[in-house]
Structures are given as structure tokens and as C-alpha cells.
Amino acid sequence: DSGVTQTPKHLITATGQRVTLRCSPRSGDLSVYWYQQSLDQGLQFLIQYYNGEERAKGNILERFSAQQFPDLHSELNLSSLELGDSALYFCASSVGWAGTYEQYFGPGTRLTVT
Amino acid sequence: LAKTTQPISMDSYEGQEVNITCSHNNIATNDYITWYQQFPSQGPRFIIQGYKTKVTNEVASLFIPADRKSSTLSLPRVSLSDTAVYYCLVGDPETGGFKTIFGAGTRLFVKA
């Protein structure tokens, strides 16, 4: 158990819909990262937040957005969903704003768009 | 970020030592080398991190030659449960705003 929690575990929705994925980092960690992993694909970095502020942006689509709240939990919002958005979405956390690369990953949310 | 190159896949047998090499020719002075392990449908798990020479923990060893242009993750006496994807990452842990690039990783398959 990494100490990072993600909800929900599974999500099935239709094209065009909007969903919100939630992540709670490990106690004491200020950075939260979001990743997308499609079937048999590598991990794609989406975005990083540190203590409520956006720190780095990766291959995140304009239809996706994220935020980190004062209690440090984070939410990833996915809108106008397409079939290709079906994937595992991982959240990770680390202590520092720059990161030591020792990121702790949550169990993931499996999103299925039908 | 330094680009990394790893073998796409490797096979081994239980009880053998496995060495996975990662090439990172344009590694920068402040870059560290980090390895993660990922099982199917699970998030990656940090294995080991190093800067130079050799680092060892209870799970693996990391060998880094003097020129630091490559590194080798060594898994002693692998078991079936070591079947996973192994990712090599290179970057400066003190630089803000980095983008974690995992790449395709190396798929290790351990056979009985």
C-alpha cells in the first residue's frame, strides 16, 4: 500500500460525458502527479501540482483539467469524453515540489468510455 | 530531460540474476537515475535511485559507470513474481517543473 488513494476504482461512461477522478496523496506529500496509461502503452505524464499550484504540464488535452485543493487532494476532470480516453489513470505523490523522482503511485482508476 | 533507451523485453529463469541496461548518453551533470517496476494494472513502484558508482538496497543493485552514460539494474535471483515492466528515468531531482518521462520500459518475463 503506497498511501495514495484514488476513487473511483472503475468508471464506465458514455462518449460526450464528463467525469471527475479523485486522488488523495500520501500524508505529508505536497506534489501530486497525474498519468494516463492506455492498453499496452507506456505511462503518459499529464500534469503536476505542488501545494495547490500547477508545476508542470505534459501531454494533457484541453478537454482535461486538474486542480489541487487546500487539503492537498487533487481532482482530474475529463470532459467531452471520447472512446480513446479509455485508459488507466494513475495519481502519484511525492514530498518536494521538484520531486526526487521517488513518486508513490495510487492503484489507479480504470475509465471505460462506451 | 535525458533520453533513455532500454531493451523492449527480456526473458529469464527463476533463480537467475537479471541485468537490465539503460542507455542515457546525454545525461546532465545534476541528473539522477531512477528505476521503477510496474505490474499489470498497478501503478509503478520505486525500486532504486543513484547518481554514480553502485547503489544497493534490499531489492536490487544499480551500477553506474564513471561516464554515467548508461546504468544497469541488477535483480538477484529473480522469481516468477519479478515478471513486470521496468522503467529507467533520468532527471534532475532539484529542478522544478520537470516532466516525468517513463518511456516504454523493459518487459521482463521470468519463467519457471
Side-chain angles (χ1 to χ4, degrees):
Chain A
D1 183 2
S2 67
V4 177
T5 60
Q6 289 187 248
T7 56
K9 232 177 146 47
H10 301 276
L11 198 48
I12 301 175
T13 189
T15 54
Q17 294 298 305
R18 173 189 168 96
V19 297
T20 297
L21 312 184
R22 183 188 168 103
C23 168
S24 292
R26 285 190 328 154
S27 176
D29 285 357
L30 298 178
S31 272
V32 168
Y33 312 78
W34 286 97
Y35 295 87
Q36 178 193 58
Q37 187 169 40
S38 303
L39 192 63
D40 293 330
Q41 297 293 313
L43 280 158
Q44 296 290 319
F45 168 74
L46 296 178
I47 198 163
Q48 176 204 359
Y49 279 83
Y50 174 79
N51 206 21
E53 292 189 11
E54 182 184 305
R55 294 302 305 181
K57 222 170 196 176
N59 301 320
I60 188 165
L61 299 172
E62 284 192 14
R63 301 184 285 109
F64 296 0
S65 64
Q67 56 183 325
Q68 187 180 27
F69 294 87
D71 67 352
L72 301 177
H73 91 271
S74 177
E75 292 181 357
L76 179 66
N77 300 297
L78 315 176
S79 61
S80 303
L81 284 168
E82 302 174 359
L83 295 177
D85 297 327
S86 295
L88 258 174
Y89 290 83
F90 289 107
C91 165
S93 71
S94 68
V95 172
W97 67 282
T100 62
Y101 271 116
E102 186 166 352
Q103 297 179 29
Y104 295 86
F105 282 76
T109 292
R110 184 174 294 281
L111 172 66
T112 302
V113 182
T114 61
Chain B
L1 287 176
K3 180 175 162 51
T4 60
T5 304
Q6 303 174 234
I8 292 175
S9 65
M10 293 180 69
D11 287 345
S12 182
Y13 288 92
E14 281 191 293
Q16 288 189 334
E17 177 184 75
V18 170
N19 295 310
I20 306 174
T21 297
C22 179
S23 173
H24 29 81
N25 291 318
N26 60 339
I27 188 169
T29 302
N30 295 330
D31 285 347
Y32 279 65
I33 300 148
T34 309
W35 286 80
Y36 282 81
Q37 173 193 57
Q38 185 181 25
F39 298 113
S41 298
Q42 293 185 29
R45 182 176 72 106
F46 172 91
I47 301 176
I48 198 166
Q49 183 182 75
Y51 182 80
K52 62 180 179 180
T53 61
K54 177 184 173 183
V55 180
T56 297
N57 61 24
E58 66 279 3
V59 176
S61 293
L62 178 60
F63 298 92
I64 306 167
D67 67 4
R68 306 200 324 123
K69 293 184 185 300
S70 67
S71 59
T72 299
L73 175 72
S74 181
L75 305 172
R77 298 180 298 282
V78 294
S79 63
L80 296 177
S81 63
D82 292 316
T83 294
V85 178
Y86 293 82
Y87 296 96
C88 164
L89 282 76
V90 173
D92 182 353
E94 297 302 320
T95 302
F98 69 86
K99 300 177 183 180
T100 305
I101 308 297
F102 273 80
T106 297
R107 290 184 179 274
L108 172 66
F109 186 67
V110 180
K111 298 182 254 191

